[in-house]
Every structure is written in structure tokens, then in C-alpha cells.
Amino acid sequence: MNVAVVGTGYVGLVLGTSLANLGNNVRCVDIDKKKIDMLKKGKVPIYEPGLEEMVETNLKSGTLQFSNDVAKAIQDSQIIFLAVGTPPNKYNQADLSAVDAVANTIAENINEYKVIVNKSTVPVGTAYRIKEIISKRYKGEFDVASNPEFMREGKALRDFNIPDRVVIGVESDKARDILYELYKPLERVNQPIMVTDIKSAEIIKYASNSFLATKISFINEVSQLCEAVGADVRQVAKGVGLDKRIGPKFLQAGLGYGGSCFPKDVQAFIQTGKDNHIDFEILNAVESVNKKQRVSIIPKVAELIGDIKDKNIAIWGLAFKPDTDDMREAVSVYIIRRLLGEEANIRAYDPISMENCKKIIKNIYYAKDPYDALKDADILILVTEWNVFKSPDYKRMKELMREYNIVDGRNIYDPQVMKKEGFKYKSVGR
Ligand code: NAD
């Protein structure tokens, strides 16, 4: 099939490349010229394991193309995916200006029947908004569909190929059949292609992310009780998660959720509720627990080192989660800003996201490797649980650190081992 993907960010690039890999003719387009120039040379501007190789293969085979010519891609394709950003506006709603801009470009260039598929995370009703924009100018036949994206950064290629489900929101059999044909190679037992109405599909995305965020805030709140009474939240989460009705995922206590999706999607869902006179009491609590959780380690740091002013603090991990370079709403930024506010000296290391972090935080030292961050440190704070931090050389750490203090924001170390190695150690909920 001839497919256009408008917006070549994390979602659009993974989607376009993966659809090309299934044998479709895909044109990925973006208004960002620099990005497209890089991609034409096979250079991927984001970190996503396996993606650069797949881009290269499909560029070579000719199934994948990159272009800045959005209009031409629209004219030439039967299916047009919208994968542009929907960041929060000043009212914490999804900013739909990029979606509107693409809808207008489609309205100006549509020349025959096409299915316009929205991949961006958008409030319920947006598909109809796109439809209205297009039908003001174009009187021919076309369909708008909702096909929310559930991929996880860092595991995006796997998630495309082995999705838990593909949700397709449509209102015509023709659009349903075309999208079903496109996704059929991915259908497996227990991993259904779910066809539904458009509004329900749009809500499924926000309801899923809000539920996952709820699990995280729930276990983080339970972790506070565990800490207060001397229980171990990891054991509690394991015992709770073994119940098949609950499941073990998203029950890791830590520093709360961040990233480009959960914070903005929970907020936008709350706003959509308000627009419809519904007060999402649970989600308001989920958000406020998360805000507290992400800086909950600051008192622990103070307990170990006393006055934070002028202390040397090493940070391991900056990205909002391992295996991505994405710094959007990363917890590390909130922590570092608080520590800088108290006049600490920061030496930070992250395997992939330091260049992105430099655009947000300038006045800290970016270390060459994990151990360089530890030089003369009074304390180490583990913020993102990259594998490289999981089995460190304790002897080398102690040779470099001024004081042997560790605050582990992700519970990756064993408290007994820490004690044996001579570290003063604090973690979350145990
Ligand atoms: P992104 O910011 O990485 O990419 C968006 C791209 O759209 C950018 O390259 C930008 O230049 C381009 N763009 C903006 N306006 C354009 C226009 N008018 N024409 C053409 N291109 C335009 O965003 P992302 O992380 O890929 O997210 C895209 C959408 O998918 C968002 O709604 C997001 O909430 C949703 N989503 C993201 C993820 C994720 O893990 N990143 C997961 C699921 C859903």
C-alpha cells in the first residue's frame, strides 16, 4: 500500500519504518528539514535500539523514503497517518495546532479517496475536528480514523511487531477494510486487531495511559507506608502483582513517572473530563502523588549528607527511563534543579541522553563515564536504571568518592550488599 506518515518523531519514524519493513511503500514527511536531511542519509536523529539498521535496509530496498514535501506525499498516498506532536498547552490540554496544520494541508491537497489516520494522542472528538477541516474545502469522499499508538520508547520496534492490541476506530467499512489489510500481518492469537467506533478509540489511549500512571502512583504511595513501618515495597509489589487480576507490571516503586506521554496524557484526560463536567478525582490524586514522588529523595539525601550546599553530588541516569534519549518530563531535571537551588555541585552521567540534557540544564558537569561522575562525590543518586549501573565496581567507586553515600531512586541495589560494601544506603519503600 502507498502510505504517508506525517511527523517523523519517535512515533512517526518507528511506524513508517516498520510499515515499510512489512513491504508497504512509505513516505515519511516532516516540516523539520534538518531531520529529513539526516534521515535521507540513513542517520536516525533519536535513540531507538535497532531503528537505524531498519531505516538503512528499507531506504536501500526503496520501500522507505523521506521528504519535506508534505503536499506531494498526501497526493500520492492512499493512507495518511498523522504522527505529529500534541504537547500540553498552557491549560494542560493537548495542543492541537500541529494536527490542525496537517489537516489543512490535507484539505488543500486531497485529490481522491483516502483514509486519514490519526496516530497522535488527541482528545476525544479530534477525528471529527479533522474531518470538519477537510470537508470545508474538499467535497469528495474520504474517511478519518483513529489508531492510537501504544509503543514504548526503547522497545518500540518490538511493540510495533508484537503489539498487545491494535486499536482501529472507524465509521465506515471501507476504512476498516483498508486498515485491517494494512495491519493483518501483525494479528496473532491473543493480540487482536480491535475495531471500534472513533470516539472509543480516542478514549482508549488516554484511559490506558492514565491507568498505568495510576498503578505507578498507587505503589509509590504504598511505598511510603512500607518505609514508615519497615516493610519492603518490592516484596509487597511482588505479592500483589502475583494476583492475575492485578499483574506485576507498573508496580515498581521509584521516583514517579515522567516522559513525553504519562504526565501530559493524565493532565489532558483530566481536562477532557472537566470539559464534560466530570471531575476525575482519582487522576487528580495520581498527579499530585507523582509530583511529590519525583523529589521525595531530596530529604533522604539531606539525611545522609546534612546541608546540601556546596556538596558534590553524582547523578547516574538522566533520561526519563532506560534505553531512550528522551528527556521530556524526565525526573532527573526536577531533582537536579532542586539540588542546584540548594547550591550543590552536580556531576552527572547518562549513556545516551547527555546531549539532550545539555539543552535543558547547562550549569552542571557532564561526566565521561559513570566513574568520572563519582570523583570526590559526597553522595551518588541513582535516577535512571540503565543496565550499565546495575553491577558497578564498588572498590573503584569507593576510591573515587569522598563519602560512601548512595540514594537509589529505582531500588536496583541490594541493601545487604550495600551494607557489606560499606555504603550508607537509602532506597524507596524499604
Ligand atoms: P515528536 O515531537 O518526537 O515528533 C513529532 C514530529 O512532528 C516532529 O518531527 C515535528 O517536526 C513534526 N511536525 C510538527 N508539525 C508538523 C507538520 N505540520 N507537518 C509535518 N510534520 C510536523 O513526537 P512523538 O513523541 O513522536 O509523538 C507524536 C504523537 O504520538 C504525540 O501525540 C504523542 O503523544 C503520541 N505518542 C507518543 C509516544 C512516544 O513514546 N513518544 C507513544 C505513544 C503516543
Side-chain angles (χ1 to χ4, degrees):
M1 288 182 172
N2 291 331
V3 180
V5 178
V6 187
T8 312
Y10 286 86
V11 167
L13 190 54
V14 169
L15 171 75
T17 310
S18 302
L19 286 174
N21 207 47
L22 291 178
N24 299 289
N25 293 317
V26 180
R27 200 156 335 147
C28 286
V29 288
D30 204 292
I31 46 171
D32 185 333
K33 190 167 177 320
K34 225 168 101 190
K35 207 178 243 187
I36 293 296
D37 286 346
M38 265 181 94
L39 285 162
K40 277 181 179 168
K41 292 180 200 143
K43 293 261 166 292
V44 169
I46 54 166
Y47 176 76
E48 185 60 46
L51 186 58
E52 192 153 282
E53 294 82 336
M54 202 188 267
V55 166
E56 222 183 308
T57 313
N58 287 283
L59 266 178
K60 271 192 193 136
S61 71
T63 50
L64 182 64
Q65 292 176 7
F66 294 103
S67 165
N68 289 119
D69 194 343
V70 183
K72 181 90 173 70
I74 289 166
Q75 289 157 11
D76 293 348
S77 307
Q78 181 186 18
I79 304 174
I80 301 156
F81 279 99
L82 271 74
V84 293
T86 49
N89 65 16
K90 61 178 173 185
Y91 307 110
N92 285 332
Q93 298 158 322
D95 177 349
L96 295 177
S97 53
V99 171
D100 288 351
V102 179
N104 277 306
T105 313
I106 295 172
E108 285 157 19
N109 291 284
I110 185 168
N111 47 1
E112 57 186 351
Y113 176 83
K114 294 176 194 297
V115 189
I116 293 125
V117 193
N118 192 35
K119 264 274 160 203
S120 300
T121 301
V122 291
V124 56
T126 303
Y128 292 113
R129 177 184 171 123
I130 295 170
K131 194 173 171 181
E132 210 179 300
I133 293 174
I134 298 171
S135 31
K136 270 191 191 144
R137 252 189 113 113
Y138 178 70
K139 303 296 170 204
E141 189 197 4
F142 71 96
D143 270 307
V144 176
S146 165
N147 171 218
E149 178 56 60
F150 302 103
M151 66 156 220
R152 296 161 297 173
E153 286 176 18
K155 298 188 173 79
L157 293 180
R158 183 215 165 271
D159 286 350
F160 178 89
N161 286 299
I162 318 171
D164 286 349
R165 78 296 206 193
V166 174
V167 173
I168 295 174
V170 281
E171 56 180 7
S172 87
D173 292 350
K174 194 168 175 181
R176 180 200 62 202
D177 293 348
I178 290 172
L179 291 177
Y180 186 76
E181 189 66 26
L182 184 73
Y183 279 118
K184 208 170 58 182
L186 303 180
E187 193 175 39
R188 291 176 183 85
V189 182
N190 296 332
Q191 288 155 342
I193 297 176
M194 179 191 165
V195 178
T196 181
D197 64 281
I198 291 177
K199 286 184 184 170
S200 301
E202 290 173 328
I203 290 180
I204 285 169
K205 174 64 194 174
Y206 279 109
S208 300
N209 272 2
S210 297
F211 189 75
L212 293 172
T214 303
K215 275 185 106 174
I216 296 171
S217 279
F218 174 79
I219 199 67
N220 280 335
E221 208 158 43
V222 170
S223 81
Q224 291 168 24
L225 177 65
C226 292
E227 220 165 284
V229 300
D232 181 343
V233 73
R234 293 224 312 184
Q235 295 300 316
V236 172
K238 187 175 174 190
V240 171
L242 282 169
D243 186 327
K244 288 194 177 66
R245 293 169 301 179
I246 299 170
K249 293 185 178 161
F250 285 78
L251 281 183
Q252 283 76 38
L255 299 175
Y257 57 79
S260 67
C261 289
F262 286 3
K264 85 167 169 60
D265 291 353
V266 170
Q267 284 170 357
F269 207 31
I270 291 172
Q271 292 306 323
T272 304
K274 274 190 192 150
D275 293 343
N276 292 280
H277 313 292
I278 292 150
D279 181 14
F280 272 127
E281 287 179 60
I282 290 177
L283 295 185
N284 284 316
V286 165
E287 221 204 328
S288 82
V289 168
N290 196 59
K291 279 185 180 152
K292 279 188 259 164
Q293 195 68 19
R294 60 192 180 198
V295 286
S296 61
I297 52 160
I298 304 288
K300 292 177 184 170
V301 171
E303 246 178 82
L304 288 174
I305 63 173
D307 194 359
I308 289 173
K309 187 170 188 294
D310 294 330
K311 293 282 166 48
N312 297 336
I313 299 183
I315 305 277
W316 276 4
L318 296 166
F320 89 88
K321 67 174 183 179
D323 295 325
T324 181
D325 61 346
D326 200 341
M327 285 297 301
R328 290 179 281 188
E329 285 293 310
V331 167
S332 63
V333 174
Y334 290 94
I335 293 172
I336 291 172
R337 285 198 175 134
R338 277 284 289 270
L339 295 170
L340 288 176
E342 301 202 29
E343 296 177 47
N345 308 310
I346 311 277
R347 294 172 76 91
Y349 177 75
D350 186 283
I352 296 289
S353 70
M354 288 199 290
E355 287 311 309
N356 282 347
C357 194
K358 282 177 192 169
K359 294 175 201 156
I360 306 170
I361 298 177
K362 308 226 180 282
N363 48 342
I364 64 171
Y365 174 78
Y366 288 94
K368 294 178 194 69
D369 59 53
Y371 298 97
D372 183 32
L374 296 176
K375 200 166 169 285
D376 295 329
D378 293 295
I379 191 163
L380 163 66
I381 305 177
L382 184 290
V383 178
T384 314
E385 66 278 31
W386 287 89
N387 278 341
V388 67
F389 303 135
K390 286 186 178 161
S391 310
D393 180 341
Y394 299 119
K395 189 165 163 276
R396 197 168 159 204
M397 288 172 76
K398 285 184 282 187
E399 281 164 12
L400 289 160
M401 292 175 77
R402 194 154 71 177
E403 302 286 338
Y404 304 157
N405 294 310
I406 298 181
V407 171
D408 174 1
R410 302 291 176 183
N411 290 346
I412 65 170
Y413 301 123
D414 180 339
Q416 298 309 322
V417 173
M418 288 291 115
K419 198 169 164 191
K420 198 174 121 249
E421 293 290 342
F423 288 102
K424 285 190 194 146
Y425 174 76
K426 285 185 183 292
S427 50
V428 181
R430 51 186 194 157

